[in-house]
Amino acid sequence: MLNITKVQFTLQLPTFSRFSDRLLQPLWDYFLFNHYSLISSPFFPVMICFSSYFFSSLPFAVLDLLGDNVPSIHRYKIQQERRPTIRMMAKSFGRAVYNHLIFVLPAVLIQTCFMPSMVLPTSAPTVVEVLIDGLAVLLLFDTQYFMWHFVHHKHPQLYRWVHAIHHEYMAPFSWSTQQISIPELITVGFWSNLDPILLKCHPFTIWCVTILSIWMSVEDHIGYDLPWGLNHLVPFGLLGGAPAHDMHHQKPNSNYAPFFSHWDRIFGTAILAGKITEKKGGQDEPRAKF
């Protein structure tokens, strides 16, 4: 009887394994057979990035404009005395559009002239591959940006000419996520494109981690400590989330990591509690300090 049970177990395990390994294959086949020209285009990653930024930011922009008219959400706002105005939102969103039109799209056009067109694999990644490779990309980028961020806050000239534009407002809001200079955009774009190549990620994994990382970036800047935010859903305080990055905009020499909290804890730059306010008013005040 024991031998029969063992035989049945060994016969069923590979079947389940094959099913889990090919769980994403139907979805990948759909993309390949119905939208190959779109997903193989060098402009497709740009579309993913900008649309993720836009649709992730839009709901929080509406909440900011409604303010305390939605008390169930407004009570979670970290700096309740500071509200972004339409002009501030338009300026930040305009900067993101400007960066894409002036730099990102021309860079992609140049790339198409010198790089061969992408050939997509026929096999989909496994769910485990997506999770492990995606986490590896996030951890690698988190490390790179922590070091870059730390250096730019410690060097006055680098801060002034490269990173200060992102700290124009003490209270961040969703559209300000991509209010960055061209040099910072180049750095972020370089790592974002290189890291998945170094880790040999499947294109599907790259798309997933791109959407997730942009959502996490927007969530860092929304200015609301929502109880359903990723920093609350992921245990042990592994993610800094909006409270950590909001504190970074209040006290710039703290909380340098974009996503995770371990580097700031290791180097003693983590500040997760308390508030620092310099001036009360109906809207934020421009600032360019380091």
Side-chain angles (χ1 to χ4, degrees), residues 52-196:
S52 298
Y53 160 70
F54 180 82
F55 289 109
S56 297
S57 301
L58 186 60
F60 299 105
V62 174
L63 288 174
D64 280 330
L65 294 176
L66 293 175
D68 51 12
N69 292 319
V70 187
S72 59
I73 302 296
H74 185 71
R75 65 194 178 103
Y76 295 114
K77 187 165 178 59
I78 299 171
Q79 301 184 57
Q80 294 193 359
E81 72 279 6
R82 298 178 182 275
R83 284 178 56 181
T85 63
I86 295 179
R87 180 181 178 183
M88 293 161 59
M89 294 182 183
K91 181 178 180 180
S92 293
F93 180 71
R95 166 66 64 170
V97 173
Y98 174 85
N99 286 346
H100 279 75
L101 291 178
I102 299 301
F103 177 77
V104 177
L105 292 180
V108 174
L109 285 173
I110 294 173
Q111 176 185 339
T112 58
C113 296
F114 297 98
M115 299 291 291
S117 58
M118 177 183 294
V119 178
L120 299 175
T122 57
S123 298
T126 67
V127 174
V128 173
E129 288 173 347
V130 173
L131 294 176
I132 293 178
D133 292 348
L135 179 60
V137 170
L138 291 176
L139 287 170
L140 180 56
F141 179 85
D142 193 77
T143 302
Q144 294 163 333
Y145 192 80
F146 174 86
M147 295 186 293
W148 182 94
H149 202 184
F150 182 88
V151 170
H152 279 71
H153 273 279
K154 296 302 181 183
H155 193 288
Q157 294 301 324
L158 285 176
Y159 178 85
R160 185 175 297 112
W161 294 107
V162 177
H163 190 55
I165 189 174
H166 185 67
H167 282 268
E168 182 174 356
Y169 305 112
M170 184 183 292
F173 49 94
S174 60
W175 293 124
S176 67
T177 304
Q178 292 195 16
Q179 181 174 313
I180 57 177
S181 66
I182 293 294
E184 183 166 351
L185 178 65
I186 293 174
T187 304
V188 173
F190 176 75
W191 289 329
S192 299
N193 286 279
L194 180 63
D195 292 348

